[in-house]
Amino acid sequence: MMRQYQLVERVKRYNPNTDETLLNKAYIYALRAHGSQRRASGDPFFAHPLEVAAILTDLRLDDATIIAAVLHDTIEDTEATLEEINQIFNPEIGALVDGLTKIKRLDLVSKRAAQGENFRKLLLAISADVRVLLVKLADRLHNMRTLEFMPMEKRPRISEETLEIYAPLAGRMGMQEMRAELEDLSFRHLRPEAYQTITQRLNDLSEKSEKLVEEIERILTSLLAAKGLAAEVKGRRKRPYSIWKKMERKSVAFEQLSDIFGFRIIVDDLDACYRALGVVHMTWPMVPGRYKDYISTPKQNDYRSIHTTVVGPGKQRVELQIRTRAMDEVAEYGIAAHALYKEGADIARFVSESRAYQWLRRTIDLLAEGDNPEEFLEHTKLELFHDQVFCFTPKGRLIALPRGATPIDFAYAVHTDVGNTAVGCKINGRMSPLLTELANGDEVEIVRAANQTPPAAWESLVATGKARAAIRRATRTAVRRQYAGLGAQILSRAFERAGKAYSEEKIAAALPRLARGSTEDVMAAVGRGEIYSGDVVRAVYPDYSDDRRPSTSPRAAGDEAAVKIQPLFGPGEEQAIPIRGQGQDLPIRFAPEGGAVPGDRIVGIIDPGEGITIYPIQATALAAFDNEPERWVDVRWDSEAIGSQRFPARLSLQSINEPGTLAQIAQVIADHDANIDNIAMRRTTPDFTDLTVDLAVWDLKNLNGIIAELRGKRVIAKVERVTG
Ligand code: MN
């Protein structure tokens, strides 16, 4: 395990101004925090964060990054807290460790490899600071280097994830060395036999080519020197994974030197690159189609180099890269190369140097993009990405949603049926409202119940078009079904009253006369009050004359079907009304003038296109519907659902004008545990004031208790209930 002074020395090698005290503090803090924890290999756990820090010293990163690496597993795995780290170190380091903790928690959710692109975006969304990603990559690299200590069954998933997510991430950050190592390590665990075969063959061929490689290095160096070019020429063996990819792609074996070796010519400046290229092309014929100038046109990740292939000694193809030392550093270390220490420059100054910072921003943006060549399309996608949240199902499926999305959106994104039957949700294991705004990385479990209809009010509360359309569809279908059911009952009564036989077939035959497309259309229209039931009877039996418009007295609860009414919210009202009756799931509201309370005998009146209005049987407003018996429906209170809410009732009072009268009225109402919704006062004479009081009461008994007590007050001249 690395010693304290060794870590400090590694940093000092490239950053003589490092804050030694802080580094030492981090070492001690993490050492104590991890205590006797051990890794799967049997090593002390603390060896891991130290190795991660070491990888980052190779990239020559700043103190905050190195310290964050040392601390990166403390919050999640030990007693350490963010507050403590903020306090002992500083908020900059705290923020980095916090970002790493969040990513680590995501790792706990099993992920599917196929979701790599989304997961990569999620990582980016969470890592506000690019240094968080650098530590995460180093963390993964060390875990991959020690993967053989993990249980056999865990290795494929971790390797796949590395190949799918972390290696491309390193590549897009321009860190080719790290990308290549991550790829090779994953390949070794995913395809052990292929890896062995290729490595073996690579070793054999390398041995055979050893002399040739040396010869080419020598020839090139002397040719360049002859032209006054000081150059470093190095033959580099290709990586097993890149050979494997090429073999897969072209289904060929590797035989040529150029299959296993690439040469790199490093020169001092830009000018020298092109002069070196001239020397190479004048010496050996170039292979057409293989020349690429990434110096005049750099790659998106800032990679700059000249690539060419020539037919070299022994008719062997030789691949060459020509670049300056600075270009080479960017190619190897990518984003990290830009953070190199130059005479004690700190990261803050680096960030404020606008050119470098812009490059960093651009790189982060590029990371969000796919490898799709259609860059313009990708750029518009980037906008979307900033606006997205990424959440998980309990099984680890990743669901991408627009920012502001709720668990309802989530449910519909999983499946329309899940959305339609959602009644509650757990976010990260805790019961939460369905209207909670989701955050990145939330795990969402939808609680479902059979035979549900989504409340229409959801439509305006969701963020996704998919959910909105599905809710509208489900609500429309449900309401239509309910109206049709109601219409069918009204029709069967109307036919019975007319003394005519009723059947759906008969109505079907009369559809042209009713100008409707289906019997369900007819029933729904009757249910909505758009067609009068007598007109349907006449359409079926043209000889029928509807002279019977009985002015029946309102019926109370009788032979009603025991159907529980769903609380479908009408516009502006969100009270669930516990009513049983024929109306089934229609939108329900109370009589606007006076309401109704449990204990009242009630009746429902169909309002065309609106739903059902509930009136107490004594309501004077009911007289207006005497001539429309088809609009009356039988309802009764759903006794099981009553008890958790108050109901609207209206009182008309006449009070004596005395100081404190209003207070006495309010006191009586409060004593009975009722609420005042509204009071309208009108002074009629100098002595008396008329009041209209809208109350919310539990039931009729509650209401009558209030009326009785008010009547007993000396200051109240008159109390009456108003029922519309
Ligand atoms: Mn770790």
Side-chain angles (χ1 to χ4, degrees), residues 111-118 160 164:
K111 292 170 290 284
R112 294 185 189 169
Q115 305 174 79
E117 189 59 28
N118 266 346
E160 261 170 37
E164 180 80 21

Side-chain angles (χ1 to χ4, degrees), residues 66-77:
I66 303 298
I67 291 171
V70 174
L71 303 176
H72 82 271
D73 279 325
T74 54
I75 293 183
E76 188 65 10
D77 296 344

Side-chain angles (χ1 to χ4, degrees), residues 352 416 683:
S352 66
T416 305
R683 180 164 294 194

